[in-house]
Amino acid sequence: MAQPLTIEDLRIMARRRVPRMFYDYADSGAWTEGTYRANETDFAKIKLRQRVAVDMTNRSLASTMIGQPVAMPVAIAPTGMTGMQHADGEILAARAAAKAGVPFTLSTMSICSIEDVANHTSAPFWFQLYVMKDRDFISRLIQRAKAAGCSALVLTLDLQILGQRHKDIRNGLSAPPKPTLANMINLAFKPWWCLKMLDTPRRQFGNIVGHVTGVADMSSLGSWTASQFDPKLNWDDIKWIKDQWGGKLILKGILDPEDAETAAQSGADALIVSNHGGRQLDGALSSIEALPGVVDQVGNRIEVLFDGGIRSGQDVIKALALGAHGTFIGRAFLYGLGAMGEKGVTATLDIIRKELDTTMALCGLRDIQNVDERILVGGREGAIKRLAGG
Ligand SMILES: Cc1cc2nc3c(=O)[nH]c(=O)nc-3n(C[C@H](O)[C@H](O)[C@H](O)COP(=O)(O)O)c2cc1C
């Protein structure tokens, strides 16, 4: 394919290059995938105000997220098994993020371990924590993130049990893939992926394997999650985690204003409005529809960040206009990674940066920090009405 110009170009390229079970793992949502689809399509309902004849020189996308300077308010979201979209995926994505001046978040369920990513990159990254029943393991994991110099802990609250994704079950998702006939045939059509994967030792869950005892089947994400993740996790545990960590804390997976209120009172530094990319509660509000309610409730007391459905710079600016202080991208970077490795993640960030910059200018602004509801047709209320279909 010629030079990719959109995230959709990268998605199509990734679908060709990445083994089916891992491509499907990324491009899927829970149950009917209704919330997954709404995350993307709801953005299109919001309309931007075109402004003309304003000085567009000297534009700036620079901002901060949890007080850290960022080249643009777009971080890389934590995603499990990133090292299966492309060999050494977490290291490559972290490098691309550092070069672009944006934060990278490493998932607990990564292939490359915390230490491995720290040893092969120079910028501090953020670490995302899933809480498991084995609290000793969690305590050690937090200490490992601290020792590796991670500059924020992202605590995910919306995945104590797994929302079912049918494709993962049908595909027998595992890392590494099991040598079944169907997998072998599929891999035969993915020579680029196989070549890179043969060249790396990183093919298992690096943060877990060798660090937890008595785990029977680590390769299957589904069964491991069901047996290890702590369904009892509740707000009281957050204080324990906050004390263990002692640094910047971000709570991920808030969709409801009541939960946002509790999150604000927990003393965390930020929350992420997120429905896990439509992978958990199917039938929940899209992230962008949920955002204004959370901002109303707690926006003046805790930094509100956002993820879900972002596939362009226009999407980013709409989230900012509705009150998000910063955003995260999941699939957009995974598609870039699967398509072209580190270069692909750089392409993702370049595409989004250019779109964001041009869109901001065409809305009549020069500084991303001045984006607010005035760039929306009908302002905030107009956007909310359009989202609700009114
Ligand atoms: C393949 C995949 C794996 C994910 N794994 C994790 C994870 O390990 N931890 C987590 O907190 N969120 C995880 N997420 C959710 C993302 O962090 C983020 O909330 C979501 O991808 C945002 O939606 P988007 O993909 O439309 O940008 C995952 C998402 C995808 C697509």
Side-chain angles (χ1 to χ4, degrees), residues 41-113:
T41 53
D42 272 1
F43 271 112
K45 296 180 185 167
I46 302 171
K47 301 298 172 201
L48 297 169
R49 282 174 73 200
Q50 171 182 292
R51 306 303 304 276
V52 297
V54 281
D55 182 354
M56 290 181 183
T57 55
N58 297 325
R59 295 188 300 280
S60 168
L61 296 179
S63 187
T64 57
M65 287 173 82
I66 53 161
Q68 299 177 13
V70 292
M72 63 176 168
V74 180
I76 301 282
T79 54
M81 291 208 271
T82 304
M84 284 290 134
Q85 300 293 335
H86 186 287
D88 307 336
E90 290 90 359
I91 292 173
L92 301 186
R95 283 186 185 152
K99 282 180 195 157
V102 300
F104 169 79
T105 317
L106 184 73
S107 165
T108 292
M109 302 310 291
S110 59
I111 300 295
C112 305
S113 69

Side-chain angles (χ1 to χ4, degrees), residues 78-80 107 128 130 156 252 274 276 279 307-309 311 330-331:
T79 54
S107 165
Q128 174 266 328
Y130 277 133
T156 299
K252 177 170 187 280
S274 173
H276 216 99
R279 296 163 79 81
D307 79 23
R311 302 290 181 270
R331 294 176 184 86

Side-chain angles (χ1 to χ4, degrees), residues 13-54:
M13 215 188 268
R15 193 176 54 190
R16 259 190 252 127
R17 291 195 151 177
V18 177
R20 182 174 167 176
M21 71 165 66
F22 301 121
Y23 174 80
D24 280 353
Y25 169 61
D27 186 9
S28 61
W31 305 99
T32 70
E33 302 195 328
T35 297
Y36 172 37
R37 278 192 300 276
N39 271 354
E40 280 184 52
T41 53
D42 272 1
F43 271 112
K45 296 180 185 167
I46 302 171
K47 301 298 172 201
L48 297 169
R49 282 174 73 200
Q50 171 182 292
R51 306 303 304 276
V52 297
V54 281

Side-chain angles (χ1 to χ4, degrees), residues 196-365:
K196 303 270 178 194
M197 203 53 84
L198 285 172
D199 214 28
T200 181
R202 304 176 181 103
R203 296 189 207 122
Q204 289 182 307
F205 293 100
N207 291 328
I208 318 274
V209 172
H211 295 274
V212 193
T213 47
V215 177
D217 183 8
M218 183 58 229
S219 66
S220 160
L221 187 64
S223 59
W224 202 81
T225 305
S227 67
Q228 299 298 313
F229 282 36
D230 190 355
K232 287 191 185 145
L233 174 70
N234 63 67
W235 290 102
D236 293 336
D237 297 315
I238 290 168
K239 188 180 172 337
W240 178 76
I241 291 161
K242 197 172 176 303
D243 291 346
Q244 295 270 317
W245 169 246
K248 295 268 183 183
L249 180 68
I250 304 174
L251 301 180
K252 177 170 187 280
I254 307 292
L255 216 56
D256 193 274
E258 271 184 41
D259 287 340
E261 181 59 44
T262 318
Q265 288 173 16
S266 75
D269 298 278
L271 62 80
I272 310 177
V273 172
S274 173
N275 52 30
H276 216 99
R279 296 163 79 81
Q280 286 295 95
L281 178 62
D282 184 36
L285 285 182
S286 71
S287 290
I288 195 67
E289 192 168 8
L291 176 63
V294 172
V295 171
D296 266 357
Q297 183 72 32
V298 295
N300 55 357
R301 283 178 284 148
I302 184 170
E303 186 164 309
V304 175
L305 304 172
F306 172 91
D307 79 23
I310 292 178
R311 302 290 181 270
S312 69
Q314 295 89 305
D315 295 342
V316 172
I317 210 166
K318 287 172 182 175
L320 299 179
L322 283 176
H325 186 78
T327 64
F328 290 77
I329 50 170
R331 294 176 184 86
F333 100 85
L334 289 177
Y335 296 150
L337 181 69
M340 299 181 345
E342 182 179 335
K343 270 192 202 151
V345 180
T346 296
T348 294
L349 292 167
D350 281 349
I351 288 167
I352 290 185
R353 182 190 309 102
K354 271 188 206 153
E355 290 170 341
L356 182 57
D357 178 51
T358 307
T359 305
M360 176 178 76
L362 294 175
C363 287
L365 290 178

